[in-house]
Amino acid sequence: ECNAEEFSKKFPAIKLLKSDENLGFSKGNNLGIKQAKGAYILLLNSDTELIENSIKFIYERSVSLNDLGAATVKLIYQNGEVQPAANYFPNVSLQFLEVTRLFRICKKYYFSKRPTLDYNKNFTADWIWGTFYFFPKKNLQLFGGKLPDTFFMYGEDVEWGYLLAKKNLKSYYFSDSTIIHHSGKSLYQEKNIALTKNSRHFIKKYYGNLHCLAFIILTATCNFIEDTKKKFHS
């Protein structure tokens, strides 16, 4: 680790921006985006490790896509386990089927709406993680010239995917290139709490109060079931 001055000396080709406060993920990235001059932007988390030329890969794979909202590559832990870097939007109806186990009866409907994602294949998703997030800078014109920053941390990439989809732009997941993401597993519980809170806010903002209430009830039910299972097995 090194401070800002040491970093600038060690990497003089990199333009380092300093902020007096922690602005959160979206607002922090927007500071850098204001200074970016290229036609494409790549958000790259500081806890990632490039093990091949994934940046060249994502550029060559994506620039010809007319409906490109954003794109990412396969993310793995150090042990090789694949991370779920692309997913579906929160869906109260499907969550109800999961909690009640009615999806076993409504298999055809359920899996037509939420097919199993294979992270060893290429596909388009509802949204992709902001860990390695490549997109045309021109897309920001759709959102007032910057990334939407409703959330301080976690869940912002869900909102980006949702707003891009509203503009008929797609979120691409490419499994042909891989990076290591040293995700902070020690913050797992805190992250889950933040994600649940932000998911509730997202659903209320874009789906309405009734869906939000249903989400709260279903989340509480899921937590109750999990706690009961733990007590039963302990």
Side-chain angles (χ1 to χ4, degrees):
E1 295 183 3
C2 60
N3 58 37
E5 288 71 23
E6 292 173 341
F7 182 91
S8 295
K9 289 179 181 179
K10 190 171 183 179
F11 304 101
I14 297 176
K15 186 171 185 178
L16 179 67
L17 303 178
K18 294 183 289 183
S19 176
D20 294 330
E21 61 177 317
N22 184 356
L23 300 174
F25 189 74
S26 298
K27 289 185 177 180
N29 277 304
N30 280 329
L31 285 180
I33 288 171
K34 284 183 180 179
Q35 303 296 321
K37 302 183 184 302
Y40 293 87
I41 302 292
L42 174 66
L43 308 185
L44 183 64
N45 274 20
S46 58
D47 60 353
T48 56
E49 180 182 344
L50 295 174
I51 53 178
E52 54 186 84
N53 201 338
S54 296
I55 298 176
K56 180 182 179 182
F57 167 85
I58 203 71
Y59 174 80
E60 292 179 345
R61 181 61 66 91
S62 302
V63 291
S64 62
L65 299 172
N66 296 324
D67 58 356
L68 175 65
T72 193
V73 296
K74 183 192 294 184
L75 307 182
I76 62 171
Y77 292 107
Q78 283 180 286
N79 63 4
E81 179 185 351
V82 180
Q83 300 176 0
N87 219 312
Y88 301 105
F89 295 132
N91 188 305
V92 174
S93 300
L94 296 183
Q95 188 178 15
F96 173 77
L97 294 179
E98 292 171 3
V99 171
T100 60
R101 298 296 187 266
L102 287 174
F103 75 92
R104 295 174 179 175
I105 301 174
C106 311
K107 286 183 178 180
K108 187 174 182 180
Y109 170 80
Y110 179 84
F111 289 109
S112 68
K113 298 295 183 182
R114 189 179 291 256
T116 302
L117 297 176
D118 186 345
Y119 294 103
N120 292 311
K121 294 182 179 180
N122 301 334
F123 57 87
T124 57
D126 285 348
W127 62 279
I128 55 178
W129 285 8
T131 308
F132 183 100
Y133 200 82
F134 179 85
F135 63 94
K137 190 178 182 182
K138 66 180 182 181
N139 285 359
L140 296 177
Q141 297 171 8
L142 303 172
F143 314 119
K146 65 176 184 177
L147 291 171
D149 54 13
T150 303
F151 306 107
F152 180 83
M153 185 72 72
Y154 305 125
E156 58 283 310
D157 36 20
V158 182
E159 183 177 39
W160 300 344
Y162 182 84
L163 295 175
L164 287 170
K166 285 289 186 180
K167 302 295 183 179
N168 296 315
L169 296 174
K170 295 179 180 179
S171 295
Y172 285 86
Y173 172 89
F174 294 115
S175 64
D176 308 294
S177 187
T178 303
I179 67 171
I180 297 175
H181 179 210
H182 301 270
S183 182
K185 292 188 176 181
S186 60
L187 300 175
Y188 184 78
Q189 185 174 359
E190 291 86 347
K191 181 177 179 180
N192 272 355
I193 293 172
L195 281 171
T196 300
K197 179 181 177 181
N198 290 346
S199 293
R200 186 168 66 241
H201 188 176
F202 173 86
I203 291 172
K204 182 177 181 180
K205 182 175 181 179
Y206 294 109
Y207 298 157
N209 291 328
L210 186 59
H211 279 79
C212 183
L213 177 61
F215 176 79
I216 292 172
I217 294 172
L218 288 170
T219 301
T221 303
C222 287
N223 292 337
F224 174 78
I225 293 172
E226 289 301 318
D227 290 341
T228 303
K229 286 180 179 179
K230 289 179 182 178
K231 290 178 182 179
F232 180 78
H233 291 292
S234 61

